[in-house]
Amino acid sequence: MPTYHNAGGGYPNVSAPARQAKLDGNQNHHTIPSNVTSHPLIQNSTQHNVPSNLSASNIPSHPVSPTMTTHSNVTTPNITSHMNTGSTPVILTSNVTNPSNPAALSVNPRHEVKLNAMPWFHGKISRETAERLLRPREDGLFLVRESTNFPGDYTLCVCYQGRVQHYRVKYKNNQLTIDDEEFFENLALLVEHYEQDADGLCTQLTKSLPKEGKQDFCVDLKAFVKAGWVIQTHELELRECIGKGEFGDVLLGVYRGERVAVKMLKDNSEAAQRFLAEASLMTSLIHDNLVKLLGLVFNNQHMYLVTEYMSKGSLVDYLRSRGRLHVSKKDQINFAYDTCAGMAYLESRHVVHRDLAARNVLVAEDNSAKVSDFGLARDENFSLEGGKLPIKWTAPEALKQNKFSNKSDMWSFGILLWEIYSFGRVPYPRIPLADVVKCVEKGYKMEPPDGCPHEVYDIMRQAWDLQPEKRPTFYDIKLVLGQLKAEYTKGVN
């Protein structure tokens, strides 16, 4: 069995005592965890079959644990072109009835799901830091931070008459509230409400103080319902585990008579937000060489992301298990071209993958290759803060300066080409991991694998240029690989 590798109107103002009760009496600050784990969606359970009948009106709310960079500027692609022709969402429809085609599984109109950007969210900062940042003290200037006195809650900090007022934003019945009267499903909706009406606060929110560096977002589960991406629980049959993903186990499933891959959510709200971020990105990216999103399942115990099933598993496992006896030169150039085509599409959409490697490319039954693992994909020029990186696949500027771009993806593509033509060997085989970065910075480039065409090795060397701006684009390389693919196909025939 193949292994998957990641495969508002007006509201009456509250009384003066109630208004005062809104203030968060934070006096101390300490480090607190950002995860909120009380919601039923994020509690462990071994029961898979649960009631369905999910609708936009009864979908359970989900705690917000904003941890990721927004990619809200990514728009729904024109499915007839690789280039983005506008920001107007495209309704994706399919009338295909052939069950062997994954598109046949998606027969309802579907829209792109966008994330809610939160430039005003500053994360784990103290009361004192918030007050230092909120200058000049203009009435209505505000930011939101994680509460220091109430772990898992938030604090709305707003300027009024030369002072900063701190309002506790707490969870109640899995929704957010300040006054126990108005309830909101996420921080973005709460802020939007108080931007329209003070509704008991000292003043209306008029101007946000953006956080420097990477910004955060929140995800609304109902957006997936309204956009047509929800699969009813009874429609999905779960079978055996076929691998491990970033968020948890990946199971084989059956949906409308076809095999599918099902990513399960781990039990914490931070993962839930990243899980939904990946799903929201996948609703906007449609290409033959990207793994297709079929939908999501929400219920009171689990959250699943359902994608097309790639029966031959990851590319690296495919190469290693079959080797030179079964993987032909035509197969190799096809894998290279397919991956490049998928990446050229992402490039045209200004989306950076950040973890391109043979382990994150999957092989379909017809031997086509598709780019997978959008868990790390973000907007162009995203900078990573912390976290583990696959050193041997990551460009020097990304490792040293946290600068990720389509050009750093091109570096990784060069490594992936080397993997293809070495039949899945680990890159830099004779260099200790601790020495790889030093060697690369001195200009070292791996030798071509045995039997690698010189045209393909030329692409590798161009991809490994230490100056990102000198690396080719995926569009350019796709043209070169397309010519090579045509030559191999002609030679075989």
mmCIF file with all atom_site columns, all heavy atoms in Angstrom, residues 230-250:
data_model
loop_
_atom_site.group_PDB
_atom_site.id
_atom_site.type_symbol
_atom_site.label_atom_id
_atom_site.label_alt_id
_atom_site.label_comp_id
_atom_site.label_asym_id
_atom_site.label_entity_id
_atom_site.label_seq_id
_atom_site.pdbx_PDB_ins_code
_atom_site.Cartn_x
_atom_site.Cartn_y
_atom_site.Cartn_z
_atom_site.occupancy
_atom_site.B_iso_or_equiv
_atom_site.pdbx_formal_charge
_atom_site.auth_seq_id
_atom_site.auth_comp_id
_atom_site.auth_asym_id
_atom_site.auth_atom_id
_atom_site.pdbx_PDB_model_num
ATOM 1   N N   . VAL A 1 230 ? -18.517 20.993 1.430  1.00 0.00 ? 230 VAL A N   1
ATOM 2   C CA  . VAL A 1 230 ? -18.750 20.048 2.524  1.00 0.00 ? 230 VAL A CA  1
ATOM 3   C C   . VAL A 1 230 ? -19.307 18.724 2.013  1.00 0.00 ? 230 VAL A C   1
ATOM 4   O O   . VAL A 1 230 ? -20.242 18.701 1.203  1.00 0.00 ? 230 VAL A O   1
ATOM 5   C CB  . VAL A 1 230 ? -19.693 20.652 3.581  1.00 0.00 ? 230 VAL A CB  1
ATOM 6   C CG1 . VAL A 1 230 ? -20.124 19.596 4.596  1.00 0.00 ? 230 VAL A CG1 1
ATOM 7   C CG2 . VAL A 1 230 ? -18.990 21.799 4.298  1.00 0.00 ? 230 VAL A CG2 1
ATOM 8   N N   . ILE A 1 231 ? -18.705 17.656 2.462  1.00 0.00 ? 231 ILE A N   1
ATOM 9   C CA  . ILE A 1 231 ? -19.157 16.298 2.167  1.00 0.00 ? 231 ILE A CA  1
ATOM 10  C C   . ILE A 1 231 ? -19.882 15.756 3.395  1.00 0.00 ? 231 ILE A C   1
ATOM 11  O O   . ILE A 1 231 ? -19.391 15.903 4.525  1.00 0.00 ? 231 ILE A O   1
ATOM 12  C CB  . ILE A 1 231 ? -17.955 15.378 1.827  1.00 0.00 ? 231 ILE A CB  1
ATOM 13  C CG1 . ILE A 1 231 ? -17.329 15.826 0.499  1.00 0.00 ? 231 ILE A CG1 1
ATOM 14  C CG2 . ILE A 1 231 ? -18.378 13.914 1.762  1.00 0.00 ? 231 ILE A CG2 1
ATOM 15  C CD1 . ILE A 1 231 ? -16.051 15.079 0.159  1.00 0.00 ? 231 ILE A CD1 1
ATOM 16  N N   . GLN A 1 232 ? -21.043 15.163 3.184  1.00 0.00 ? 232 GLN A N   1
ATOM 17  C CA  . GLN A 1 232 ? -21.780 14.589 4.305  1.00 0.00 ? 232 GLN A CA  1
ATOM 18  C C   . GLN A 1 232 ? -21.078 13.330 4.822  1.00 0.00 ? 232 GLN A C   1
ATOM 19  O O   . GLN A 1 232 ? -20.522 12.556 4.043  1.00 0.00 ? 232 GLN A O   1
ATOM 20  C CB  . GLN A 1 232 ? -23.210 14.240 3.881  1.00 0.00 ? 232 GLN A CB  1
ATOM 21  C CG  . GLN A 1 232 ? -23.996 15.429 3.354  1.00 0.00 ? 232 GLN A CG  1
ATOM 22  C CD  . GLN A 1 232 ? -24.210 16.500 4.401  1.00 0.00 ? 232 GLN A CD  1
ATOM 23  O OE1 . GLN A 1 232 ? -24.340 16.199 5.583  1.00 0.00 ? 232 GLN A OE1 1
ATOM 24  N NE2 . GLN A 1 232 ? -24.240 17.756 3.961  1.00 0.00 ? 232 GLN A NE2 1
ATOM 25  N N   . THR A 1 233 ? -21.114 13.133 6.118  1.00 0.00 ? 233 THR A N   1
ATOM 26  C CA  . THR A 1 233 ? -20.413 12.005 6.736  1.00 0.00 ? 233 THR A CA  1
ATOM 27  C C   . THR A 1 233 ? -20.849 10.667 6.150  1.00 0.00 ? 233 THR A C   1
ATOM 28  O O   . THR A 1 233 ? -20.013 9.788  5.902  1.00 0.00 ? 233 THR A O   1
ATOM 29  C CB  . THR A 1 233 ? -20.659 11.995 8.260  1.00 0.00 ? 233 THR A CB  1
ATOM 30  O OG1 . THR A 1 233 ? -20.288 13.260 8.801  1.00 0.00 ? 233 THR A OG1 1
ATOM 31  C CG2 . THR A 1 233 ? -19.855 10.890 8.931  1.00 0.00 ? 233 THR A CG2 1
ATOM 32  N N   . HIS A 1 234 ? -22.136 10.519 5.905  1.00 0.00 ? 234 HIS A N   1
ATOM 33  C CA  . HIS A 1 234 ? -22.626 9.223  5.406  1.00 0.00 ? 234 HIS A CA  1
ATOM 34  C C   . HIS A 1 234 ? -22.161 8.935  3.978  1.00 0.00 ? 234 HIS A C   1
ATOM 35  O O   . HIS A 1 234 ? -22.238 7.799  3.520  1.00 0.00 ? 234 HIS A O   1
ATOM 36  C CB  . HIS A 1 234 ? -24.152 9.177  5.485  1.00 0.00 ? 234 HIS A CB  1
ATOM 37  C CG  . HIS A 1 234 ? -24.841 10.079 4.500  1.00 0.00 ? 234 HIS A CG  1
ATOM 38  N ND1 . HIS A 1 234 ? -25.174 11.390 4.811  1.00 0.00 ? 234 HIS A ND1 1
ATOM 39  C CD2 . HIS A 1 234 ? -25.247 9.889  3.213  1.00 0.00 ? 234 HIS A CD2 1
ATOM 40  C CE1 . HIS A 1 234 ? -25.757 11.950 3.759  1.00 0.00 ? 234 HIS A CE1 1
ATOM 41  N NE2 . HIS A 1 234 ? -25.813 11.061 2.779  1.00 0.00 ? 234 HIS A NE2 1
ATOM 42  N N   . GLU A 1 235 ? -21.676 9.951  3.271  1.00 0.00 ? 235 GLU A N   1
ATOM 43  C CA  . GLU A 1 235 ? -21.209 9.753  1.901  1.00 0.00 ? 235 GLU A CA  1
ATOM 44  C C   . GLU A 1 235 ? -19.794 9.197  1.842  1.00 0.00 ? 235 GLU A C   1
ATOM 45  O O   . GLU A 1 235 ? -19.340 8.748  0.795  1.00 0.00 ? 235 GLU A O   1
ATOM 46  C CB  . GLU A 1 235 ? -21.234 11.081 1.132  1.00 0.00 ? 235 GLU A CB  1
ATOM 47  C CG  . GLU A 1 235 ? -22.609 11.669 0.918  1.00 0.00 ? 235 GLU A CG  1
ATOM 48  C CD  . GLU A 1 235 ? -22.542 12.962 0.140  1.00 0.00 ? 235 GLU A CD  1
ATOM 49  O OE1 . GLU A 1 235 ? -22.071 13.983 0.692  1.00 0.00 ? 235 GLU A OE1 1
ATOM 50  O OE2 . GLU A 1 235 ? -22.934 12.946 -1.049 1.00 0.00 ? 235 GLU A OE2 1
ATOM 51  N N   . LEU A 1 236 ? -19.087 9.236  2.974  1.00 0.00 ? 236 LEU A N   1
ATOM 52  C CA  . LEU A 1 236 ? -17.679 8.851  2.998  1.00 0.00 ? 236 LEU A CA  1
ATOM 53  C C   . LEU A 1 236 ? -17.469 7.595  3.820  1.00 0.00 ? 236 LEU A C   1
ATOM 54  O O   . LEU A 1 236 ? -17.831 7.537  4.999  1.00 0.00 ? 236 LEU A O   1
ATOM 55  C CB  . LEU A 1 236 ? -16.837 9.995  3.585  1.00 0.00 ? 236 LEU A CB  1
ATOM 56  C CG  . LEU A 1 236 ? -15.339 9.766  3.657  1.00 0.00 ? 236 LEU A CG  1
ATOM 57  C CD1 . LEU A 1 236 ? -14.735 9.673  2.254  1.00 0.00 ? 236 LEU A CD1 1
ATOM 58  C CD2 . LEU A 1 236 ? -14.675 10.895 4.442  1.00 0.00 ? 236 LEU A CD2 1
ATOM 59  N N   . GLU A 1 237 ? -16.899 6.595  3.189  1.00 0.00 ? 237 GLU A N   1
ATOM 60  C CA  . GLU A 1 237 ? -16.563 5.347  3.888  1.00 0.00 ? 237 GLU A CA  1
ATOM 61  C C   . GLU A 1 237 ? -15.064 5.330  4.163  1.00 0.00 ? 237 GLU A C   1
ATOM 62  O O   . GLU A 1 237 ? -14.251 5.494  3.255  1.00 0.00 ? 237 GLU A O   1
ATOM 63  C CB  . GLU A 1 237 ? -16.943 4.141  3.026  1.00 0.00 ? 237 GLU A CB  1
ATOM 64  C CG  . GLU A 1 237 ? -16.557 2.801  3.644  1.00 0.00 ? 237 GLU A CG  1
ATOM 65  C CD  . GLU A 1 237 ? -16.802 1.640  2.688  1.00 0.00 ? 237 GLU A CD  1
ATOM 66  O OE1 . GLU A 1 237 ? -17.557 1.837  1.698  1.00 0.00 ? 237 GLU A OE1 1
ATOM 67  O OE2 . GLU A 1 237 ? -16.231 0.549  2.921  1.00 0.00 ? 237 GLU A OE2 1
ATOM 68  N N   . LEU A 1 238 ? -14.687 5.160  5.417  1.00 0.00 ? 238 LEU A N   1
ATOM 69  C CA  . LEU A 1 238 ? -13.279 5.157  5.798  1.00 0.00 ? 238 LEU A CA  1
ATOM 70  C C   . LEU A 1 238 ? -12.743 3.736  5.876  1.00 0.00 ? 238 LEU A C   1
ATOM 71  O O   . LEU A 1 238 ? -13.401 2.840  6.402  1.00 0.00 ? 238 LEU A O   1
ATOM 72  C CB  . LEU A 1 238 ? -13.093 5.855  7.150  1.00 0.00 ? 238 LEU A CB  1
ATOM 73  C CG  . LEU A 1 238 ? -13.480 7.326  7.204  1.00 0.00 ? 238 LEU A CG  1
ATOM 74  C CD1 . LEU A 1 238 ? -13.304 7.869  8.611  1.00 0.00 ? 238 LEU A CD1 1
ATOM 75  C CD2 . LEU A 1 238 ? -12.666 8.140  6.211  1.00 0.00 ? 238 LEU A CD2 1
ATOM 76  N N   . ARG A 1 239 ? -11.528 3.570  5.339  1.00 0.00 ? 239 ARG A N   1
ATOM 77  C CA  . ARG A 1 239 ? -10.891 2.260  5.366  1.00 0.00 ? 239 ARG A CA  1
ATOM 78  C C   . ARG A 1 239 ? -9.544  2.328  6.064  1.00 0.00 ? 239 ARG A C   1
ATOM 79  O O   . ARG A 1 239 ? -9.355  3.104  6.980  1.00 0.00 ? 239 ARG A O   1
ATOM 80  C CB  . ARG A 1 239 ? -10.795 1.695  3.954  1.00 0.00 ? 239 ARG A CB  1
ATOM 81  C CG  . ARG A 1 239 ? -12.182 1.397  3.345  1.00 0.00 ? 239 ARG A CG  1
ATOM 82  C CD  . ARG A 1 239 ? -12.110 0.729  1.990  1.00 0.00 ? 239 ARG A CD  1
ATOM 83  N NE  . ARG A 1 239 ? -13.443 0.425  1.482  1.00 0.00 ? 239 ARG A NE  1
ATOM 84  C CZ  . ARG A 1 239 ? -13.687 -0.122 0.306  1.00 0.00 ? 239 ARG A CZ  1
ATOM 85  N NH1 . ARG A 1 239 ? -12.668 -0.417 -0.523 1.00 0.00 ? 239 ARG A NH1 1
ATOM 86  N NH2 . ARG A 1 239 ? -14.924 -0.372 -0.074 1.00 0.00 ? 239 ARG A NH2 1
ATOM 87  N N   . GLU A 1 240 ? -8.581  1.577  5.599  1.00 0.00 ? 240 GLU A N   1
ATOM 88  C CA  . GLU A 1 240 ? -7.318  1.451  6.336  1.00 0.00 ? 240 GLU A CA  1
ATOM 89  C C   . GLU A 1 240 ? -6.436  2.694  6.221  1.00 0.00 ? 240 GLU A C   1
ATOM 90  O O   . GLU A 1 240 ? -6.574  3.497  5.300  1.00 0.00 ? 240 GLU A O   1
ATOM 91  C CB  . GLU A 1 240 ? -6.537  0.229  5.842  1.00 0.00 ? 240 GLU A CB  1
ATOM 92  C CG  . GLU A 1 240 ? -5.991  0.346  4.423  1.00 0.00 ? 240 GLU A CG  1
ATOM 93  C CD  . GLU A 1 240 ? -6.948  -0.158 3.368  1.00 0.00 ? 240 GLU A CD  1
ATOM 94  O OE1 . GLU A 1 240 ? -8.166  -0.265 3.668  1.00 0.00 ? 240 GLU A OE1 1
ATOM 95  O OE2 . GLU A 1 240 ? -6.483  -0.445 2.243  1.00 0.00 ? 240 GLU A OE2 1
ATOM 96  N N   . CYS A 1 241 ? -5.522  2.802  7.161  1.00 0.00 ? 241 CYS A N   1
ATOM 97  C CA  . CYS A 1 241 ? -4.538  3.884  7.150  1.00 0.00 ? 241 CYS A CA  1
ATOM 98  C C   . CYS A 1 241 ? -3.518  3.607  6.053  1.00 0.00 ? 241 CYS A C   1
ATOM 99  O O   . CYS A 1 241 ? -3.022  2.482  5.918  1.00 0.00 ? 241 CYS A O   1
ATOM 100 C CB  . CYS A 1 241 ? -3.845  3.975  8.508  1.00 0.00 ? 241 CYS A CB  1
ATOM 101 S SG  . CYS A 1 241 ? -2.556  5.251  8.600  1.00 0.00 ? 241 CYS A SG  1
ATOM 102 N N   . ILE A 1 242 ? -3.227  4.629  5.247  1.00 0.00 ? 242 ILE A N   1
ATOM 103 C CA  . ILE A 1 242 ? -2.255  4.454  4.160  1.00 0.00 ? 242 ILE A CA  1
ATOM 104 C C   . ILE A 1 242 ? -1.038  5.350  4.334  1.00 0.00 ? 242 ILE A C   1
ATOM 105 O O   . ILE A 1 242 ? -0.172  5.396  3.464  1.00 0.00 ? 242 ILE A O   1
ATOM 106 C CB  . ILE A 1 242 ? -2.902  4.729  2.783  1.00 0.00 ? 242 ILE A CB  1
ATOM 107 C CG1 . ILE A 1 242 ? -3.529  6.121  2.741  1.00 0.00 ? 242 ILE A CG1 1
ATOM 108 C CG2 . ILE A 1 242 ? -3.935  3.653  2.466  1.00 0.00 ? 242 ILE A CG2 1
ATOM 109 C CD1 . ILE A 1 242 ? -4.080  6.496  1.377  1.00 0.00 ? 242 ILE A CD1 1
ATOM 110 N N   . GLY A 1 243 ? -0.956  6.062  5.432  1.00 0.00 ? 243 GLY A N   1
ATOM 111 C CA  . GLY A 1 243 ? 0.223   6.895  5.657  1.00 0.00 ? 243 GLY A CA  1
ATOM 112 C C   . GLY A 1 243 ? 0.011   7.932  6.733  1.00 0.00 ? 243 GLY A C   1
ATOM 113 O O   . GLY A 1 243 ? -1.026  7.975  7.402  1.00 0.00 ? 243 GLY A O   1
ATOM 114 N N   . LYS A 1 244 ? 1.024   8.752  6.896  1.00 0.00 ? 244 LYS A N   1
ATOM 115 C CA  . LYS A 1 244 ? 1.008   9.825  7.880  1.00 0.00 ? 244 LYS A CA  1
ATOM 116 C C   . LYS A 1 244 ? 1.104   11.164 7.159  1.00 0.00 ? 244 LYS A C   1
ATOM 117 O O   . LYS A 1 244 ? 1.883   11.306 6.219  1.00 0.00 ? 244 LYS A O   1
ATOM 118 C CB  . LYS A 1 244 ? 2.170   9.698  8.866  1.00 0.00 ? 244 LYS A CB  1
ATOM 119 C CG  . LYS A 1 244 ? 2.183   8.390  9.643  1.00 0.00 ? 244 LYS A CG  1
ATOM 120 C CD  . LYS A 1 244 ? 1.057   8.339  10.662 1.00 0.00 ? 244 LYS A CD  1
ATOM 121 C CE  . LYS A 1 244 ? 1.113   7.055  11.472 1.00 0.00 ? 244 LYS A CE  1
ATOM 122 N NZ  . LYS A 1 244 ? 0.046   6.996  12.503 1.00 0.00 ? 244 LYS A NZ  1
ATOM 123 N N   . GLY A 1 245 ? 0.341   12.145 7.599  1.00 0.00 ? 245 GLY A N   1
ATOM 124 C CA  . GLY A 1 245 ? 0.402   13.483 7.020  1.00 0.00 ? 245 GLY A CA  1
ATOM 125 C C   . GLY A 1 245 ? 0.795   14.497 8.074  1.00 0.00 ? 245 GLY A C   1
ATOM 126 O O   . GLY A 1 245 ? 1.029   14.150 9.242  1.00 0.00 ? 245 GLY A O   1
ATOM 127 N N   . GLU A 1 246 ? 0.866   15.757 7.670  1.00 0.00 ? 246 GLU A N   1
ATOM 128 C CA  . GLU A 1 246 ? 1.246   16.815 8.611  1.00 0.00 ? 246 GLU A CA  1
ATOM 129 C C   . GLU A 1 246 ? 0.261   16.916 9.760  1.00 0.00 ? 246 GLU A C   1
ATOM 130 O O   . GLU A 1 246 ? 0.622   17.210 10.892 1.00 0.00 ? 246 GLU A O   1
ATOM 131 C CB  . GLU A 1 246 ? 1.291   18.160 7.869  1.00 0.00 ? 246 GLU A CB  1
ATOM 132 C CG  . GLU A 1 246 ? 1.642   19.328 8.782  1.00 0.00 ? 246 GLU A CG  1
ATOM 133 C CD  . GLU A 1 246 ? 1.422   20.666 8.107  1.00 0.00 ? 246 GLU A CD  1
ATOM 134 O OE1 . GLU A 1 246 ? 0.948   20.698 6.959  1.00 0.00 ? 246 GLU A OE1 1
ATOM 135 O OE2 . GLU A 1 246 ? 1.732   21.685 8.743  1.00 0.00 ? 246 GLU A OE2 1
ATOM 136 N N   . PHE A 1 247 ? -1.024  16.645 9.491  1.00 0.00 ? 247 PHE A N   1
ATOM 137 C CA  . PHE A 1 247 ? -2.051  16.860 10.491 1.00 0.00 ? 247 PHE A CA  1
ATOM 138 C C   . PHE A 1 247 ? -2.478  15.590 11.221 1.00 0.00 ? 247 PHE A C   1
ATOM 139 O O   . PHE A 1 247 ? -3.170  15.651 12.218 1.00 0.00 ? 247 PHE A O   1
ATOM 140 C CB  . PHE A 1 247 ? -3.285  17.485 9.830  1.00 0.00 ? 247 PHE A CB  1
ATOM 141 C CG  . PHE A 1 247 ? -2.981  18.753 9.099  1.00 0.00 ? 247 PHE A CG  1
ATOM 142 C CD1 . PHE A 1 247 ? -2.922  18.780 7.721  1.00 0.00 ? 247 PHE A CD1 1
ATOM 143 C CD2 . PHE A 1 247 ? -2.726  19.922 9.796  1.00 0.00 ? 247 PHE A CD2 1
ATOM 144 C CE1 . PHE A 1 247 ? -2.646  19.954 7.046  1.00 0.00 ? 247 PHE A CE1 1
ATOM 145 C CE2 . PHE A 1 247 ? -2.439  21.099 9.132  1.00 0.00 ? 247 PHE A CE2 1
ATOM 146 C CZ  . PHE A 1 247 ? -2.398  21.120 7.758  1.00 0.00 ? 247 PHE A CZ  1
ATOM 147 N N   . GLY A 1 248 ? -2.071  14.435 10.726 1.00 0.00 ? 248 GLY A N   1
ATOM 148 C CA  . GLY A 1 248 ? -2.481  13.191 11.348 1.00 0.00 ? 248 GLY A CA  1
ATOM 149 C C   . GLY A 1 248 ? -2.466  12.073 10.329 1.00 0.00 ? 248 GLY A C   1
ATOM 150 O O   . GLY A 1 248 ? -1.802  12.158 9.299  1.00 0.00 ? 248 GLY A O   1
ATOM 151 N N   . ASP A 1 249 ? -3.208  11.006 10.619 1.00 0.00 ? 249 ASP A N   1
ATOM 152 C CA  . ASP A 1 249 ? -3.222  9.863  9.720  1.00 0.00 ? 249 ASP A CA  1
ATOM 153 C C   . ASP A 1 249 ? -3.898  10.201 8.392  1.00 0.00 ? 249 ASP A C   1
ATOM 154 O O   . ASP A 1 249 ? -4.783  11.061 8.311  1.00 0.00 ? 249 ASP A O   1
ATOM 155 C CB  . ASP A 1 249 ? -3.980  8.695  10.363 1.00 0.00 ? 249 ASP A CB  1
ATOM 156 C CG  . ASP A 1 249 ? -3.213  8.092  11.529 1.00 0.00 ? 249 ASP A CG  1
ATOM 157 O OD1 . ASP A 1 249 ? -1.983  8.304  11.598 1.00 0.00 ? 249 ASP A OD1 1
ATOM 158 O OD2 . ASP A 1 249 ? -3.847  7.437  12.374 1.00 0.00 ? 249 ASP A OD2 1
ATOM 159 N N   . VAL A 1 250 ? -3.461  9.506  7.348  1.00 0.00 ? 250 VAL A N   1
ATOM 160 C CA  . VAL A 1 250 ? -4.111  9.588  6.045  1.00 0.00 ? 250 VAL A CA  1
ATOM 161 C C   . VAL A 1 250 ? -4.752  8.233  5.798  1.00 0.00 ? 250 VAL A C   1
ATOM 162 O O   . VAL A 1 250 ? -4.073  7.205  5.841  1.00 0.00 ? 250 VAL A O   1
ATOM 163 C CB  . VAL A 1 250 ? -3.114  9.922  4.919  1.00 0.00 ? 250 VAL A CB  1
ATOM 164 C CG1 . VAL A 1 250 ? -3.843  10.004 3.583  1.00 0.00 ? 250 VAL A CG1 1
ATOM 165 C CG2 . VAL A 1 250 ? -2.393  11.232 5.220  1.00 0.00 ? 250 VAL A CG2 1
#
